[in-house]
Amino acid sequence: MDTLSLPQARRIALAAQGFLDAPPGGAVDRRHLRRVLGRIGLLQMDSVNVLQRAHYLPLYSRLGPYPTDLLDRAAYRAPRDLFEYWGHEASLLPVALHPFLRWRMATDHSWGGVNRLARSQPDLVDWVRQEVIDNGPLTAAEVEADVPRRSDNWGWNWSDSKTALEWLFWRGEVLVSRRNGSFARVYDIPERVLPPAVLATATPSPVEAFRELVSRSAAALGVATEPELRDYFRLPVAGARAAVAELVESGELTPVAVDRWRGPAYLHRDAKLPRWVRAATLLSPFDPVVWKRDRTERLFGFTYRIEIYTPAAQRTFGYYVLPFLLDDRLVARVDLKADRAGSTLLVPAAWAEPTAPPHTAAALAAELHRLAGWLGLAQVAPPSRGDLADAVRAELAATPAEPLQAAVD
């Protein structure tokens, strides 16, 4: 069995995630978006909007400033490249993956309460389904507004109708047509959301689906352990392990040892081992590079926990903290907030890792100016706390800001 050093594994992982690709020479277009999605496979979604919605940030990290409307069009306007479903949590996924996720649609929801309501109130589920068929696209609030209010009916309330929609969404009987201005899902039937060719595609067996999803996970990770391959699309243990074994037998995956990792890892046959990675960008807390925290620790020696649900007095680094990737290392972390009313990128704190190189503050300051420009913010407020705060403050004053037009859609 071949052995990879930790720096080699790190470079393989970053190359697989698209950080070896040359940045766009001009305007970012749909080809660039497809290139990134071809690398990472999906975009995790999250409702927190203190800086920018989570699904927009991985594209920024790999492409630089780009028009966010590009992603909106790909996800919510025909001809769609993406659709919303449960991939790695709630995600935007390539429409070609829809057939490979139908095994999940055929199972119970991962939340027990959704299953209980679907079984105890089938008439409610039928009514909600028909409401979307007849009147969609609809938000959950609009479905609720049309709920019959006779005293002799099921006694539904908002949470019941929303839960019924979640059941139908999990089962693939309704999908997301778009998001409204409040970021609420607007539901419709698959025939009015997905391309006809996708709907007409035969449903693979679960075994075929697991093999395809593990294959995509392995390509996106470059080198990974079996639990990491499984976690990418949240696959069942037995199905993922069988798929890994099949891919090893076919030669698509090769077992390797990685220095300081326990147990075997698997190297994808298309993985590249570059001599170096040149990067200087902030990563979303929901970026595939960091979303599996134990992998982040093993690859980068970087302990990372998001603290948005931690009481303020107990937070170590801040509310919404982003890791800073410099070349092939995570060298710093910054707490960030977009003050849109004041057109300012707030940086409450900046912290350096013990191995951060001397030019970390300068590179981070340049990145903060670039990020502010992409977000349409006129200025960056210097950090007030953290062991990197003074150095970043000095560099921000000396580094020119990115022009605001970088953020225009």
PDB file of all heavy atoms in Angstrom, residues 346-357:
ATOM      1  N   LEU A 346     -17.780  44.322   8.617  1.00  0.00           N
ATOM      2  CA  LEU A 346     -17.305  44.355  10.004  1.00  0.00           C
ATOM      3  C   LEU A 346     -16.428  43.129  10.257  1.00  0.00           C
ATOM      4  O   LEU A 346     -16.752  42.015   9.850  1.00  0.00           O
ATOM      5  CB  LEU A 346     -18.484  44.365  10.972  1.00  0.00           C
ATOM      6  CG  LEU A 346     -19.504  45.506  10.797  1.00  0.00           C
ATOM      7  CD1 LEU A 346     -20.642  45.355  11.802  1.00  0.00           C
ATOM      8  CD2 LEU A 346     -18.828  46.858  10.947  1.00  0.00           C
ATOM      9  N   VAL A 347     -15.321  43.371  10.952  1.00  0.00           N
ATOM     10  CA  VAL A 347     -14.385  42.303  11.304  1.00  0.00           C
ATOM     11  C   VAL A 347     -14.182  42.354  12.816  1.00  0.00           C
ATOM     12  O   VAL A 347     -13.199  42.914  13.305  1.00  0.00           O
ATOM     13  CB  VAL A 347     -13.040  42.453  10.564  1.00  0.00           C
ATOM     14  CG1 VAL A 347     -12.175  41.204  10.767  1.00  0.00           C
ATOM     15  CG2 VAL A 347     -13.252  42.723   9.081  1.00  0.00           C
ATOM     16  N   PRO A 348     -15.112  41.786  13.582  1.00  0.00           N
ATOM     17  CA  PRO A 348     -14.976  41.876  15.037  1.00  0.00           C
ATOM     18  C   PRO A 348     -13.689  41.262  15.580  1.00  0.00           C
ATOM     19  O   PRO A 348     -13.179  41.717  16.608  1.00  0.00           O
ATOM     20  CB  PRO A 348     -16.208  41.119  15.549  1.00  0.00           C
ATOM     21  CG  PRO A 348     -17.198  41.223  14.436  1.00  0.00           C
ATOM     22  CD  PRO A 348     -16.384  41.175  13.179  1.00  0.00           C
ATOM     23  N   ALA A 349     -13.156  40.238  14.898  1.00  0.00           N
ATOM     24  CA  ALA A 349     -11.951  39.580  15.431  1.00  0.00           C
ATOM     25  C   ALA A 349     -11.176  38.902  14.318  1.00  0.00           C
ATOM     26  O   ALA A 349     -11.748  38.471  13.306  1.00  0.00           O
ATOM     27  CB  ALA A 349     -12.329  38.554  16.500  1.00  0.00           C
ATOM     28  N   ALA A 350      -9.858  38.818  14.514  1.00  0.00           N
ATOM     29  CA  ALA A 350      -8.976  38.105  13.584  1.00  0.00           C
ATOM     30  C   ALA A 350      -7.933  37.361  14.394  1.00  0.00           C
ATOM     31  O   ALA A 350      -7.290  37.941  15.278  1.00  0.00           O
ATOM     32  CB  ALA A 350      -8.302  39.086  12.609  1.00  0.00           C
ATOM     33  N   TRP A 351      -7.767  36.067  14.069  1.00  0.00           N
ATOM     34  CA  TRP A 351      -6.884  35.201  14.840  1.00  0.00           C
ATOM     35  C   TRP A 351      -5.942  34.455  13.909  1.00  0.00           C
ATOM     36  O   TRP A 351      -6.337  33.979  12.846  1.00  0.00           O
ATOM     37  CB  TRP A 351      -7.699  34.176  15.633  1.00  0.00           C
ATOM     38  CG  TRP A 351      -8.792  34.764  16.467  1.00  0.00           C
ATOM     39  CD1 TRP A 351     -10.065  35.062  16.082  1.00  0.00           C
ATOM     40  CD2 TRP A 351      -8.710  35.120  17.846  1.00  0.00           C
ATOM     41  NE1 TRP A 351     -10.784  35.567  17.124  1.00  0.00           N
ATOM     42  CE2 TRP A 351      -9.982  35.629  18.229  1.00  0.00           C
ATOM     43  CE3 TRP A 351      -7.694  35.051  18.810  1.00  0.00           C
ATOM     44  CZ2 TRP A 351     -10.256  36.056  19.511  1.00  0.00           C
ATOM     45  CZ3 TRP A 351      -7.971  35.484  20.095  1.00  0.00           C
ATOM     46  CH2 TRP A 351      -9.233  35.986  20.442  1.00  0.00           C
ATOM     47  N   ALA A 352      -4.707  34.311  14.301  1.00  0.00           N
ATOM     48  CA  ALA A 352      -3.713  33.582  13.516  1.00  0.00           C
ATOM     49  C   ALA A 352      -3.515  32.187  14.088  1.00  0.00           C
ATOM     50  O   ALA A 352      -3.605  31.975  15.303  1.00  0.00           O
ATOM     51  CB  ALA A 352      -2.383  34.335  13.514  1.00  0.00           C
ATOM     52  N   GLU A 353      -3.221  31.231  13.210  1.00  0.00           N
ATOM     53  CA  GLU A 353      -2.807  29.904  13.620  1.00  0.00           C
ATOM     54  C   GLU A 353      -1.323  29.943  13.998  1.00  0.00           C
ATOM     55  O   GLU A 353      -0.566  30.802  13.522  1.00  0.00           O
ATOM     56  CB  GLU A 353      -3.041  28.906  12.492  1.00  0.00           C
ATOM     57  CG  GLU A 353      -4.497  28.615  12.230  1.00  0.00           C
ATOM     58  CD  GLU A 353      -5.168  27.966  13.433  1.00  0.00           C
ATOM     59  OE1 GLU A 353      -4.884  26.787  13.722  1.00  0.00           O
ATOM     60  OE2 GLU A 353      -5.987  28.647  14.084  1.00  0.00           O
ATOM     61  N   PRO A 354      -0.879  29.028  14.838  1.00  0.00           N
ATOM     62  CA  PRO A 354       0.536  29.039  15.251  1.00  0.00           C
ATOM     63  C   PRO A 354       1.514  28.951  14.086  1.00  0.00           C
ATOM     64  O   PRO A 354       2.633  29.472  14.184  1.00  0.00           O
ATOM     65  CB  PRO A 354       0.637  27.797  16.155  1.00  0.00           C
ATOM     66  CG  PRO A 354      -0.751  27.573  16.657  1.00  0.00           C
ATOM     67  CD  PRO A 354      -1.655  27.993  15.557  1.00  0.00           C
ATOM     68  N   THR A 355       1.106  28.307  12.991  1.00  0.00           N
ATOM     69  CA  THR A 355       2.020  28.134  11.854  1.00  0.00           C
ATOM     70  C   THR A 355       1.824  29.186  10.775  1.00  0.00           C
ATOM     71  O   THR A 355       2.369  29.051   9.666  1.00  0.00           O
ATOM     72  CB  THR A 355       1.820  26.746  11.236  1.00  0.00           C
ATOM     73  OG1 THR A 355       0.439  26.598  10.850  1.00  0.00           O
ATOM     74  CG2 THR A 355       2.186  25.649  12.234  1.00  0.00           C
ATOM     75  N   ALA A 356       1.065  30.243  11.062  1.00  0.00           N
ATOM     76  CA  ALA A 356       0.798  31.268  10.041  1.00  0.00           C
ATOM     77  C   ALA A 356       2.097  31.945   9.611  1.00  0.00           C
ATOM     78  O   ALA A 356       2.891  32.362  10.453  1.00  0.00           O
ATOM     79  CB  ALA A 356      -0.177  32.304  10.587  1.00  0.00           C
ATOM     80  N   PRO A 357       2.321  32.092   8.286  1.00  0.00           N
ATOM     81  CA  PRO A 357       3.552  32.744   7.819  1.00  0.00           C
ATOM     82  C   PRO A 357       3.490  34.253   8.056  1.00  0.00           C
ATOM     83  O   PRO A 357       2.429  34.824   8.308  1.00  0.00           O
ATOM     84  CB  PRO A 357       3.573  32.411   6.326  1.00  0.00           C
ATOM     85  CG  PRO A 357       2.147  32.200   5.967  1.00  0.00           C
ATOM     86  CD  PRO A 357       1.503  31.581   7.172  1.00  0.00           C
TER      87      PRO A 357
END
